[in-house]
């Protein structure tokens, strides 16, 4: 699903888009940062941003990377240099507005933006997202606010970001710059800033970011999951009822779930985990299970109906990966236990490299999930489960492939493992805090 948020500077687009993406579990794409990064490169090269020909010539040297740190913060790289802070200074704002007028610049950046939007559910923020880049977006928002209000916000933002410069910032100058940029953005012949006819317009002058987000959330089209096959559906409801009745199964965080391909990465504590996790999802999912599980009476039959695929040899088997990839490339979800085997003591074990490998090959998002309670009900040391207990499942925000797309294989593998481990630990903590004391 693609949501686009357009509008002039200072309407709160970035804050709103970032938080909206977080709430929906989508990725957030700030296209203004791309134009700013081009402007930064132009200035670094000593080229006058007003010299269209020289700017166009520099474009072939432009490389752009977004790296996401373990805690989810994004860092922007222009031509290999971290420019996250440097691109926010007023001089770059002005130069960005200038270079954004050139068709050569726009065409090359739009190509990159569309490429990112192909596979992902994302909130794109910019000026021409709804009119040019994604004319078929699922939801288009256009934010406005009075120039005065926008200048007040910009001043506050700059004061917070650059406390050293606070004394030199003048409100009148910022207002003037905003009006100048509006003029540039709205009057340029190539992709001028304008509301798409089918965009919802929200005036943010008197609204807080939270109020704007609330308004947008009401407009987001409902997720559509494909209907389950009859055999899956019947076993799904039977198994779900069993876990609900005997083990008071509770599921949290489903707002993080969305249709389409995905790797559901969960902690592994018990043979109950695959069926518990399957019936906690709102759509059909697939999982791999050891051959031996299919020989356990009843459980074997149930898991077969729940799209389980027997693995004859070790899970690192090449044919297993091929099967998984086929399912993911078909736009479906697969449950994976990145620890590789059940925990012997109830604690999270080190994650294996299969998960990053599959993410890199499939480019699908990871949906982290934490299962609590199955260890005390049916740990690895026990032949049979207890018939009582409490099981809780919680899903976290998806980890998007785009966060790693520009990294080399090694870096991506390391970061995917770190992010997944942290997501699982955070979910475990969240569940602990939710328990009545
Ligand atoms: O949103 P921002 O202030 O970071 O954007 C910086 C400049 O880039 C601004 O002058 C408008 C331009 N821009 C654009 O022309 N098209 C976009 N999609 C995003 C930004």
């Amino acid at each position: 699903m693609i949501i686009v948020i357009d509008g002039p500077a200072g309407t709160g687009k970035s804050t709103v888009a970032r938080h909206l993406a977080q709430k929906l579990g989508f990725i957030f794409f700030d296209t203004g940062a791309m134009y700013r990064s081009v402007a930064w490169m132009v200035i670094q090269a000593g080229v006058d941003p007003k010299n269209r020909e020289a700017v166009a010539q520099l474009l072939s040297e432009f490389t752009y990377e977004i790296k996401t740190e373990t805690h989810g913060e994004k860092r922007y790289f222009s031509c290999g240099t971290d420019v996250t802070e440097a691109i926010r200074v007023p001089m770059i704002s002005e130069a960005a507005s200038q270079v954004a007028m050139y068709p050569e610049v726009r065409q090359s950046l739009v190509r990159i933006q569309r490429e990112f939007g192909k596979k992902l559910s994302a909130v794109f923020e910019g000026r021409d997202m709804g009119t040019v880049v994604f004319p078929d977006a699922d939801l288009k928002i256009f934010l406005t606010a009075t120039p005065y209000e926008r200048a007040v916000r910009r001043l506050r933002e700059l004061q917070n970001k650059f406390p050293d410069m606070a004394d030199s910032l003048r409100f009148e100058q910022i207002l003037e710059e905003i009006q100048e940029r509006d003029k540039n953005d709205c009057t340029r012949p190539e992709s001028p800033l304008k509301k798409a006819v089918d965009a919802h317009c929200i005036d943010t002058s008197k609204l807080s970011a939270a109020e704007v987000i609330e308004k947008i959330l009401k407009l987001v089209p409902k997720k559509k999951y494909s209907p389950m096959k009859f055999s899956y559906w019947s076993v799904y409801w039977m198994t779900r009822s069993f876990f609900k009745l005997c083990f008071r199964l509770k599921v949290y965080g489903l707002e993080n779930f969305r249709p389409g391909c995905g790797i559901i990465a969960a902690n592994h504590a018990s043979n109950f985990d695959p069926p518990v996790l399957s019936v906690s999802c709102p759509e059909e999912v697939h999982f791999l299970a050891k051959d031996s599980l299919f020989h356990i009476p009843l459980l074997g039959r149930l898991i077969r109906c729940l799209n389980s695929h027997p693995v004859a040899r070790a899970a690192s088997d090449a044919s297993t990966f091929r099967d998984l990839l086929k399912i993911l490339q078909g736009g479906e979800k697969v449950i994976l236990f990145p620890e590789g085997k059940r925990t012997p003591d109830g604690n999270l074990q080190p994650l294996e490299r299969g998960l990053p490998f599959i993410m890199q090959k499939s480019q699908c998002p990871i949906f982290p999930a934490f299962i609590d309670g199955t260890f005390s009900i049916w740990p690895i040391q026990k032949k049979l489960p207890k018939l009582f207990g409490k099981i809780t499942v919680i899903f976290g925000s998806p980890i998007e492939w785009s966060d790693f797309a520009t990294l080399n294989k090694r870096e991506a593998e390391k970061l995917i493992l770190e992010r997944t481990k942290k997501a699982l630990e955070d979910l475990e903590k969240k569940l602990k805090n939710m328990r009545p004391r």
Side-chain angles (χ1 to χ4, degrees), residues 6-10 13-14 30-36 87-88 92-101 106 113 125-129 133 154 181-182 184-185 188 190-191:
D6 288 312
K13 278 188 316 272
S14 293
D30 170 4
T31 58
M34 292 181 90
Y35 287 93
R36 287 172 180 272
I87 56 172
R88 300 294 163 190
I92 297 289
S93 302
E94 216 177 291
S97 177
Q98 180 67 41
V99 300
M101 291 199 274
R106 300 207 72 82
Q113 290 156 12
E125 175 242 310
R127 302 291 193 287
D128 55 346
M129 296 294 109
V133 187
R154 202 48 126 193
R181 283 171 64 200
D182 278 0
N184 276 352
D185 294 348
R188 64 177 177 232
E190 185 83 5
S191 315

Side-chain angles (χ1 to χ4, degrees), residues 287 291-306 308:
F287 63 89
D291 247 0
S292 56
L293 283 187
F294 290 82
H295 306 308
I296 299 179
L298 194 64
L299 183 74
R301 279 201 178 187
L302 290 181
I303 60 174
R304 217 178 271 278
C305 286
L306 286 174
S308 63

Side-chain angles (χ1 to χ4, degrees), residues 313-355:
R313 284 152 285 170
S316 56
D317 187 340
S319 71
T320 308
F321 282 123
R322 264 201 303 277
D323 289 349
L324 278 182
L325 279 178
K326 234 192 246 161
I327 298 168
L328 291 167
Q329 281 155 359
E332 297 191 78
K333 289 200 181 61
V334 165
I335 292 176
L336 217 73
F337 296 104
E339 294 161 277
K341 48 192 173 304
R342 282 168 291 167
T343 170
D345 54 9
N347 295 321
L348 201 59
Q349 307 300 297
L351 307 192
E352 292 186 350
R353 293 166 58 202
L355 175 71

Side-chain angles (χ1 to χ4, degrees), residues 241-431:
S241 311
F242 164 74
F243 283 117
K244 282 232 171 225
L245 284 173
C246 295
F247 301 106
R248 292 174 287 149
L249 172 67
K250 276 226 153 49
V251 183
Y252 297 102
L254 277 178
E255 66 279 8
N256 293 310
F257 220 84
R258 61 169 192 255
C261 75
I263 308 157
I264 302 167
N267 61 312
H268 197 10
S270 161
N271 278 339
F272 264 169
D273 294 339
V276 162
L277 202 49
S278 298
V279 300
S280 300
C281 296
E283 63 176 345
E284 279 194 34
V285 296
H286 294 252
F287 63 89
L288 300 171
K290 272 184 301 175
D291 247 0
S292 56
L293 283 187
F294 290 82
H295 306 308
I296 299 179
L298 194 64
L299 183 74
R301 279 201 178 187
L302 290 181
I303 60 174
R304 217 178 271 278
C305 286
L306 286 174
N307 288 343
S308 63
H309 304 261
V311 192
R313 284 152 285 170
S316 56
D317 187 340
S319 71
T320 308
F321 282 123
R322 264 201 303 277
D323 289 349
L324 278 182
L325 279 178
K326 234 192 246 161
I327 298 168
L328 291 167
Q329 281 155 359
E332 297 191 78
K333 289 200 181 61
V334 165
I335 292 176
L336 217 73
F337 296 104
E339 294 161 277
K341 48 192 173 304
R342 282 168 291 167
T343 170
D345 54 9
N347 295 321
L348 201 59
Q349 307 300 297
L351 307 192
E352 292 186 350
R353 293 166 58 202
L355 175 71
F357 177 78
I358 297 219
M359 185 187 217
Q360 288 179 320
K361 289 275 175 206
S362 68
Q363 307 191 351
C364 291
I366 293 174
F367 293 82
F370 195 87
I371 311 167
D372 182 61
T374 53
F375 181 72
S376 58
I377 291 166
W378 196 2
I380 191 165
Q381 299 85 355
K382 295 273 184 221
K383 270 227 145 114
L384 288 170
K386 290 186 207 160
L387 275 178
F388 54 88
K390 183 166 170 32
I391 300 177
T392 315
V393 173
I394 183 165
F395 292 97
S397 310
I399 300 170
E400 307 291 347
W401 164 246
S402 59
D403 290 353
F404 315 102
T406 54
L407 304 180
N408 71 40
K409 220 171 131 200
R410 276 257 173 97
E411 279 179 330
E413 178 183 305
K414 187 167 164 272
L415 203 58
I416 292 168
L417 286 175
E418 274 174 21
R419 291 272 305 274
T420 310
K421 182 114 195 287
K422 173 140 194 335
L424 294 179
E425 286 165 351
D426 287 350
L427 289 173
E428 185 178 17
K429 271 190 223 139
K430 205 166 169 180
L431 274 186

